[in-house]
Amino acid sequence: MLKKLNVILEIQEFDIKMIRLMKLKKTRKNELEEIDALKKNLRQKIVDKESETQEIKLETTSYEDTIKEIKEKIKRYESQQEQVKKIEEFNALNQEISRADRERANLEHKLNAASDQLMAEEELLTTLQSTYDSTTENSKALEEEILSNINEVNKEGATLKVQRDALTPKAEAEIFGIYEKLINNKRDRVVVAVSNRCCSGCHIALTAQQENLVRKGERIVFCEHCSRILYWAAEPEQAEAEATPRRRRRKVAAP
Ligand SMILES: [Zn+2]
């Protein structure tokens, strides 16, 4: 394996952890935004409902006032009737009275409908208000949990960054530059092992020639399909062969 890749691989592990933390932080921030949007939405509904109720209240007051005026008008007509001498004048006033009375009945009908509506709207307003209160109360614990989680993520990220920054001066500038461009673009591992003759990043098979180049480890080899940097990991048999003698020695040393 190309030696200068070793430190890049170490840096990569820190970067992958940091990328995961950033994703987690984004998810948690989105959760907070959703809670906030839910509360804002409820708040807006309450405001709208309040103004609707206010309008209906004004409407009922205006009906009540007009009805009162009509009733007074009818009383005036009735007292005029007592004073008139001619039957025609009496009848004319009678007609005015019944016209006014029809208007009054019509308005009272509207007033009743508006009063019913007002009651229904006020009930809805109470329900909305209590939904808002319980949502605010229930989400409080969740919001606190998310905020403390974000805080932890920030701390963990800062620690990882210190460790990563301590490694970067050890990396060769050229290869580190290439690596950073790749990882910033893919947000995933970009220095990957060849496994079963495939790139373990995109799982597409390598040509024999490419495989040979990676195995030699003389220069940087990129996967032709996903542009990741490839390296040759120790064969499993080889790793086992290295471990076996140690196990044997321990067995011999035991009583
Ligand atoms: Zn690939």
Side-chain angles (χ1 to χ4, degrees), residues 186 192 198-206 210 222-230:
K186 286 206 194 297
V192 296
C198 292
C199 157
S200 59
C202 67
H203 307 290
I204 294 177
L206 269 57
Q210 238 193 334
F222 296 95
C223 169
E224 285 176 353
H225 306 281
C226 68
S227 311
R228 285 181 172 88
I229 300 168
L230 299 167

mmCIF file of all heavy atoms in Angstrom, residues 186 192 198-206 210 222-230, ligand 1:
data_model
loop_
_atom_site.group_PDB
_atom_site.id
_atom_site.type_symbol
_atom_site.label_atom_id
_atom_site.label_comp_id
_atom_site.label_asym_id
_atom_site.label_seq_id
_atom_site.Cartn_x
_atom_site.Cartn_y
_atom_site.Cartn_z
ATOM 1 N N LYS A 186 -18.076 14.187 -2.199
ATOM 2 C CA LYS A 186 -18.852 12.953 -2.005
ATOM 3 C C LYS A 186 -19.478 12.814 -0.627
ATOM 4 O O LYS A 186 -20.447 12.089 -0.466
ATOM 5 C CB LYS A 186 -17.957 11.727 -2.257
ATOM 6 C CG LYS A 186 -17.652 11.492 -3.719
ATOM 7 C CD LYS A 186 -17.364 10.031 -3.980
ATOM 8 C CE LYS A 186 -16.728 9.771 -5.332
ATOM 9 N NZ LYS A 186 -17.587 10.145 -6.449
ATOM 10 N N VAL A 192 -10.494 4.192 -0.599
ATOM 11 C CA VAL A 192 -11.122 2.899 -0.304
ATOM 12 C C VAL A 192 -10.241 1.734 -0.759
ATOM 13 O O VAL A 192 -9.450 1.857 -1.697
ATOM 14 C CB VAL A 192 -12.518 2.785 -0.979
ATOM 15 C CG1 VAL A 192 -13.480 3.813 -0.418
ATOM 16 C CG2 VAL A 192 -12.417 2.920 -2.484
ATOM 17 N N CYS A 198 -12.778 -5.469 -6.719
ATOM 18 C CA CYS A 198 -13.689 -4.351 -6.989
ATOM 19 C C CYS A 198 -13.273 -3.145 -6.154
ATOM 20 O O CYS A 198 -12.644 -3.286 -5.110
ATOM 21 C CB CYS A 198 -15.119 -4.707 -6.601
ATOM 22 S SG CYS A 198 -15.835 -5.965 -7.636
ATOM 23 N N CYS A 199 -13.700 -1.969 -6.619
ATOM 24 C CA CYS A 199 -13.553 -0.755 -5.824
ATOM 25 C C CYS A 199 -14.599 -0.875 -4.714
ATOM 26 O O CYS A 199 -15.774 -1.090 -5.009
ATOM 27 C CB CYS A 199 -13.829 0.459 -6.694
ATOM 28 S SG CYS A 199 -14.327 1.938 -5.807
ATOM 29 N N SER A 200 -14.207 -0.747 -3.440
ATOM 30 C CA SER A 200 -15.216 -0.928 -2.393
ATOM 31 C C SER A 200 -16.059 0.334 -2.193
ATOM 32 O O SER A 200 -16.943 0.374 -1.364
ATOM 33 C CB SER A 200 -14.594 -1.424 -1.090
ATOM 34 O OG SER A 200 -13.642 -0.508 -0.639
ATOM 35 N N GLY A 201 -15.790 1.371 -2.992
ATOM 36 C CA GLY A 201 -16.652 2.559 -2.956
ATOM 37 C C GLY A 201 -17.855 2.396 -3.863
ATOM 38 O O GLY A 201 -18.985 2.607 -3.453
ATOM 39 N N CYS A 202 -17.611 1.982 -5.111
ATOM 40 C CA CYS A 202 -18.725 1.876 -6.067
ATOM 41 C C CYS A 202 -19.026 0.425 -6.449
ATOM 42 O O CYS A 202 -19.982 0.162 -7.183
ATOM 43 C CB CYS A 202 -18.437 2.701 -7.319
ATOM 44 S SG CYS A 202 -17.076 2.061 -8.302
ATOM 45 N N HIS A 203 -18.196 -0.511 -5.982
ATOM 46 C CA HIS A 203 -18.389 -1.961 -6.205
ATOM 47 C C HIS A 203 -18.322 -2.375 -7.672
ATOM 48 O O HIS A 203 -18.878 -3.399 -8.056
ATOM 49 C CB HIS A 203 -19.707 -2.439 -5.566
ATOM 50 C CG HIS A 203 -19.804 -2.055 -4.124
ATOM 51 N ND1 HIS A 203 -19.021 -2.632 -3.154
ATOM 52 C CD2 HIS A 203 -20.545 -1.104 -3.497
ATOM 53 C CE1 HIS A 203 -19.285 -2.059 -1.993
ATOM 54 N NE2 HIS A 203 -20.210 -1.132 -2.176
ATOM 55 N N ILE A 204 -17.639 -1.583 -8.472
ATOM 56 C CA ILE A 204 -17.452 -1.962 -9.879
ATOM 57 C C ILE A 204 -16.066 -2.614 -10.010
ATOM 58 O O ILE A 204 -15.097 -2.164 -9.385
ATOM 59 C CB ILE A 204 -17.620 -0.736 -10.806
ATOM 60 C CG1 ILE A 204 -19.073 -0.236 -10.741
ATOM 61 C CG2 ILE A 204 -17.223 -1.078 -12.246
ATOM 62 C CD1 ILE A 204 -19.364 1.001 -11.532
ATOM 63 N N ALA A 205 -15.988 -3.677 -10.807
ATOM 64 C CA ALA A 205 -14.739 -4.437 -10.943
ATOM 65 C C ALA A 205 -13.635 -3.614 -11.606
ATOM 66 O O ALA A 205 -13.910 -2.795 -12.481
ATOM 67 C CB ALA A 205 -15.004 -5.694 -11.743
ATOM 68 N N LEU A 206 -12.418 -3.861 -11.156
ATOM 69 C CA LEU A 206 -11.249 -3.172 -11.719
ATOM 70 C C LEU A 206 -10.690 -4.003 -12.864
ATOM 71 O O LEU A 206 -10.874 -5.221 -12.902
ATOM 72 C CB LEU A 206 -10.165 -3.066 -10.643
ATOM 73 C CG LEU A 206 -10.115 -1.842 -9.732
ATOM 74 C CD1 LEU A 206 -11.399 -1.645 -8.982
ATOM 75 C CD2 LEU A 206 -8.951 -1.988 -8.771
ATOM 76 N N GLN A 210 -5.327 -2.194 -13.713
ATOM 77 C CA GLN A 210 -5.555 -1.249 -12.610
ATOM 78 C C GLN A 210 -5.261 -1.907 -11.268
ATOM 79 O O GLN A 210 -4.613 -1.322 -10.399
ATOM 80 C CB GLN A 210 -7.024 -0.810 -12.649
ATOM 81 C CG GLN A 210 -7.183 0.680 -12.781
ATOM 82 C CD GLN A 210 -8.600 1.113 -12.491
ATOM 83 O OE1 GLN A 210 -9.540 0.333 -12.665
ATOM 84 N NE2 GLN A 210 -8.760 2.335 -12.066
ATOM 85 N N PHE A 222 -6.755 6.070 -9.158
ATOM 86 C CA PHE A 222 -8.155 6.438 -8.946
ATOM 87 C C PHE A 222 -9.069 5.388 -9.578
ATOM 88 O O PHE A 222 -8.723 4.808 -10.612
ATOM 89 C CB PHE A 222 -8.459 7.790 -9.611
ATOM 90 C CG PHE A 222 -7.700 8.938 -9.028
ATOM 91 C CD1 PHE A 222 -6.503 9.362 -9.594
ATOM 92 C CD2 PHE A 222 -8.171 9.598 -7.905
ATOM 93 C CE1 PHE A 222 -5.790 10.423 -9.051
ATOM 94 C CE2 PHE A 222 -7.470 10.669 -7.360
ATOM 95 C CZ PHE A 222 -6.273 11.074 -7.933
ATOM 96 N N CYS A 223 -10.209 5.163 -8.969
ATOM 97 C CA CYS A 223 -11.196 4.275 -9.574
ATOM 98 C C CYS A 223 -11.704 4.979 -10.841
ATOM 99 O O CYS A 223 -12.009 6.169 -10.812
ATOM 100 C CB CYS A 223 -12.351 4.030 -8.610
ATOM 101 S SG CYS A 223 -13.752 3.216 -9.386
ATOM 102 N N GLU A 224 -11.759 4.250 -11.935
ATOM 103 C CA GLU A 224 -12.167 4.861 -13.216
ATOM 104 C C GLU A 224 -13.642 5.238 -13.211
ATOM 105 O O GLU A 224 -14.093 6.039 -14.008
ATOM 106 C CB GLU A 224 -11.907 3.878 -14.368
ATOM 107 C CG GLU A 224 -10.445 3.775 -14.710
ATOM 108 C CD GLU A 224 -10.169 2.723 -15.776
ATOM 109 O OE1 GLU A 224 -11.111 1.988 -16.139
ATOM 110 O OE2 GLU A 224 -9.009 2.628 -16.199
ATOM 111 N N HIS A 225 -14.400 4.623 -12.308
ATOM 112 C CA HIS A 225 -15.847 4.840 -12.308
ATOM 113 C C HIS A 225 -16.297 5.913 -11.323
ATOM 114 O O HIS A 225 -17.165 6.706 -11.633
ATOM 115 C CB HIS A 225 -16.573 3.526 -12.018
ATOM 116 C CG HIS A 225 -16.151 2.439 -12.940
ATOM 117 N ND1 HIS A 225 -16.631 2.347 -14.219
ATOM 118 C CD2 HIS A 225 -15.234 1.447 -12.797
ATOM 119 C CE1 HIS A 225 -16.058 1.320 -14.817
ATOM 120 N NE2 HIS A 225 -15.201 0.753 -13.977
ATOM 121 N N CYS A 226 -15.704 5.914 -10.111
ATOM 122 C CA CYS A 226 -16.192 6.870 -9.100
ATOM 123 C C CYS A 226 -15.124 7.863 -8.649
ATOM 124 O O CYS A 226 -15.401 8.690 -7.784
ATOM 125 C CB CYS A 226 -16.760 6.114 -7.895
ATOM 126 S SG CYS A 226 -15.503 5.247 -6.950
ATOM 127 N N SER A 227 -13.926 7.772 -9.223
ATOM 128 C CA SER A 227 -12.812 8.685 -8.931
ATOM 129 C C SER A 227 -12.242 8.564 -7.521
ATOM 130 O O SER A 227 -11.474 9.416 -7.090
ATOM 131 C CB SER A 227 -13.202 10.155 -9.163
ATOM 132 O OG SER A 227 -13.808 10.306 -10.393
ATOM 133 N N ARG A 228 -12.663 7.544 -6.756
ATOM 134 C CA ARG A 228 -12.090 7.389 -5.416
ATOM 135 C C ARG A 228 -10.641 6.929 -5.532
ATOM 136 O O ARG A 228 -10.251 6.318 -6.538
ATOM 137 C CB ARG A 228 -12.895 6.370 -4.615
ATOM 138 C CG ARG A 228 -14.231 6.894 -4.120
ATOM 139 C CD ARG A 228 -14.936 5.814 -3.316
ATOM 140 N NE ARG A 228 -16.126 6.302 -2.651
ATOM 141 C CZ ARG A 228 -17.342 6.321 -3.202
ATOM 142 N NH1 ARG A 228 -17.517 5.895 -4.432
ATOM 143 N NH2 ARG A 228 -18.387 6.773 -2.534
ATOM 144 N N ILE A 229 -9.858 7.212 -4.491
ATOM 145 C CA ILE A 229 -8.468 6.753 -4.450
ATOM 146 C C ILE A 229 -8.479 5.311 -3.935
ATOM 147 O O ILE A 229 -9.121 5.019 -2.927
ATOM 148 C CB ILE A 229 -7.620 7.654 -3.521
ATOM 149 C CG1 ILE A 229 -7.650 9.102 -4.038
ATOM 150 C CG2 ILE A 229 -6.202 7.122 -3.393
ATOM 151 C CD1 ILE A 229 -7.096 10.126 -3.076
ATOM 152 N N LEU A 230 -7.787 4.436 -4.643
ATOM 153 C CA LEU A 230 -7.798 3.016 -4.272
ATOM 154 C C LEU A 230 -6.515 2.634 -3.533
ATOM 155 O O LEU A 230 -5.456 3.175 -3.805
ATOM 156 C CB LEU A 230 -7.928 2.159 -5.530
ATOM 157 C CG LEU A 230 -9.202 2.380 -6.356
ATOM 158 C CD1 LEU A 230 -9.054 1.707 -7.714
ATOM 159 C CD2 LEU A 230 -10.420 1.837 -5.620
HETATM 160 ZN ZN ZN B 1 -15.188 3.162 -7.583
#
